[in-house]
Amino acid sequence: SDLNRLANTLRIQASPDGPDSFHGRGVGPVRFRWQGDTTTFGGTVDATDFAYGPKAQPSLREPRLKIDLDGKYDQSAGHLTLAAARVARPGLAVEGKGTLAKLDTTQDVDLAGSISYDLKLLTPELRNAIGGGFDATGKGTRPIALRGSLIPPKGAASDLAANGALAWDAVRVYGFEMGPGEFNARVANGVGTVSPVSATFGGGRVSLQPTLKLDPAPGEVSFARGRIVEKAKLTPAVCAGAVGYALPVVANAAQAEGEVSFDLDDNRVPLADFTGATLRGKMFVHRAAVSAGPVVSEIVQLLGEPAPKVVLANDMTVPVRVEAGRVHHENLTLTVNGYVLKTNGSVGLDGSLAVVADVPIPGTFPGLKNNPALKKALEGKVVKVPVGGTMAKPAINRGAFNVAVAAVARDAAKDAGRDLLNRELERLFPGATPGGPSTPPGNRPPLFPLPQGLPIPKRP
């Protein structure tokens, strides 16, 4: 049957597209009995494309569910009594009994039961929701209880109370590694207290103190401010995890050595969408030496430099913030082959890059080697290099970079000796300087080759 039509027939939903409505397809035996406004029902249904709540924005959506129910529904009062209920999907099952009242308004619940889980089977969905290479193992059964209004009256404080627990054998995400542990949560008046979550990161201990807030729905979790990472050791695995998102120039570095700490400031994580998290903090680089990762290698290749040697500034503070699914950093400074580079920008939780690097033009930059005057005028001048692509495969907008270099060359040439500069330009571009053979302006080669369609700055 169509579950929406079945729920209408059994009279266990107030409206076909209300907060208590069912959607999807179901197969299985169902028994029911009408007596006045009360429907007694029971059965076992294998559901596909299941959704509960308004079809456009359901509160629950699952591709496959097995539902076992035994209860009764009082239509006029909007009151559902469950003598027994079990809802299961691969890796997760919830069962219990209790009541749900005022389903079309405040959705008052009084349920108690248990939750059974297998984190290995849940990992693919959790990885999609959380990111960071999430991986977890562990299974078990824990008691749960829920009482109060899911949707409190407008202006009223939440009276929701709940408790539950979840244990694991191992969890890895964004470079953090958690050994065996248990997550215990208790909610009173819509605010939850959670047992501290401990982890290792770069060989050091990490402790997080979460707080749950369920009002307004769908709720959020936040963590106590302060230092949550203390002098973690830099390793390639750490650089490929959380540190790589905050410091993209070290992401995926094959070699890494040093120490970093992290202080957490304002933060909130919506329970309905982890990618909607917002937080602010500071990354402290006590010391660091790393091999060139993909971002640095791409910049160095653009500049025509030899194999890069990278050093991050010691005792450096990098402000970090997370918003709209991106990790932003400010004023990240590093030294590459003796040149100081600075980056600002963001990394998406999907690994996408939107970074701008302030890069000094090295003396080895193509086009300067045989032009002493230009080399003197341009060497060390800073240009902005936009870096896109991903952390694993960065991409530089070379056209924008060429335009930036040409603009710097134009400005720098104003300060160079005119006669000396003209001689150097005459050697590079015969006939392009005053007094040389006449060359139509349109045939003169540009100071720096630019992609077709981009403006060529005027030469002095």
Side-chain angles (χ1 to χ4, degrees):
S1 176
D2 177 283
L3 292 180
N4 191 259
R5 294 176 61 187
L6 178 63
N8 276 335
T9 301
L10 300 181
R11 301 177 183 173
I12 59 173
Q13 63 185 19
S15 65
D17 200 33
D20 64 336
S21 59
F22 294 81
H23 306 275
R25 298 287 298 178
V27 176
V30 174
R31 56 180 171 77
F32 62 94
R33 177 185 179 187
W34 295 330
Q35 188 172 6
D37 284 340
T38 300
T39 303
T40 303
F41 61 89
T44 300
V45 175
D46 289 309
T48 56
D49 298 325
F50 177 84
Y52 178 73
K55 196 168 186 179
Q57 290 186 312
S59 55
L60 176 65
R61 187 189 296 275
E62 287 290 344
R64 298 189 67 86
L65 277 180
K66 185 171 184 178
I67 305 171
D68 293 289
L69 294 176
D70 184 4
K72 63 179 181 178
Y73 179 63
D74 187 329
Q75 187 175 11
S76 60
H79 189 98
L80 175 66
T81 301
L82 296 174
R86 188 176 191 273
V87 179
R89 52 141 294 165
L92 184 66
V94 179
E95 58 184 303
K97 59 183 179 179
T99 61
L100 291 88
K102 301 180 181 178
L103 293 178
D104 57 346
T105 56
T106 56
Q107 297 187 25
D108 298 343
V109 299
D110 187 357
L111 300 171
S114 63
I115 180 171
S116 301
Y117 56 88
D118 186 335
L119 294 177
K120 186 175 182 179
L121 295 179
L122 294 175
T123 286
E125 287 97 337
L126 291 172
R127 184 182 295 138
N128 288 336
I130 299 173
F134 179 90
D135 187 46
T137 58
K139 55 186 177 181
T141 300
R142 294 290 188 276
I144 57 172
L146 182 64
R147 175 181 292 177
S149 299
L150 297 179
I151 305 176
K154 188 174 182 180
S158 174
D159 63 347
L160 195 66
N163 64 75
L166 184 74
W168 60 83
D169 296 330
V171 175
R172 292 187 299 274
V173 59
Y174 290 109
F176 293 88
E177 296 186 2
M178 289 175 270
E182 187 168 352
F183 177 92
N184 291 282
R186 292 184 179 276
V187 176
N189 298 322
V191 177
T193 57
V194 182
S195 58
V197 178
S198 296
T200 60
F201 184 77
R205 296 296 298 174
V206 178
S207 183
L208 297 172
Q209 179 63 65
T211 298
L212 292 172
K213 185 179 179 183
L214 301 181
D215 184 24
E220 64 184 37
V221 61
S222 60
F223 299 90
R225 303 177 189 179
R227 180 148 297 185
I228 61 172
V229 177
E230 177 66 40
K231 291 189 175 180
K233 306 295 182 184
L234 278 182
T235 65
V238 167
C239 290
V243 169
Y245 287 83
L247 311 177
V249 294
V250 307
N252 299 309
Q255 298 176 336
E257 179 276 321
E259 291 179 332
V260 296
S261 298
F262 187 77
D263 282 0
L264 183 62
D265 296 327
D266 295 334
N267 64 95
R268 56 179 294 272
V269 181
L271 294 177
D273 182 10
F274 292 112
T275 62
T278 61
L279 66 82
R280 294 180 182 273
K282 295 181 179 67
M283 179 75 73
F284 299 96
V285 181
H286 303 293
R287 60 182 183 85
V290 298
S291 61
V295 173
V296 173
S297 296
E298 189 74 8
I299 293 174
V300 167
Q301 181 181 1
L302 177 72
L303 298 178
E305 280 280 279
K309 180 180 179 181
V310 181
V311 178
L312 270 69
N314 290 337
D315 297 319
M316 175 175 57
T317 301
V318 181
V320 176
R321 76 180 192 278
V322 177
E323 57 187 25
R326 302 194 68 82
V327 183
H328 299 258
H329 72 276
E330 299 176 21
N331 299 326
L332 170 56
T333 304
L334 66 155
T335 303
V336 179
N337 294 352
Y339 290 92
V340 178
L341 278 65
K342 184 180 291 185
T343 68
N344 294 272
S346 67
V347 180
L349 297 180
D350 59 358
S352 60
L353 286 172
V355 172
V356 175
D358 293 340
V359 180
I361 300 176
T364 56
F365 185 73
L368 300 186
K369 184 177 180 181
N370 298 319
N371 293 275
L374 287 177
K375 180 177 179 180
K376 181 179 179 180
L378 289 179
E379 186 172 12
K381 292 293 192 298
V382 175
V383 293
K384 294 187 178 298
V385 179
V387 185
T390 66
M391 287 197 294
K393 193 174 181 180
I396 290 178
N397 187 331
R398 294 174 181 263
F401 173 73
N402 282 346
V403 169
V405 172
V408 171
R410 179 193 62 203
D411 293 339
K414 297 177 182 177
D415 300 325
R418 181 177 297 275
D419 292 340
L420 178 60
L421 180 62
N422 284 340
R423 285 197 298 270
E424 294 297 334
L425 289 174
E426 180 65 27
R427 289 170 53 190
L428 185 61
F429 305 121
T433 57
S438 177
T439 303
N443 295 332
R444 296 175 184 173
L447 185 59
F448 291 93
L450 300 177
Q452 186 175 2
L454 290 175
I456 301 176
K458 295 180 179 179
R459 277 187 254 104

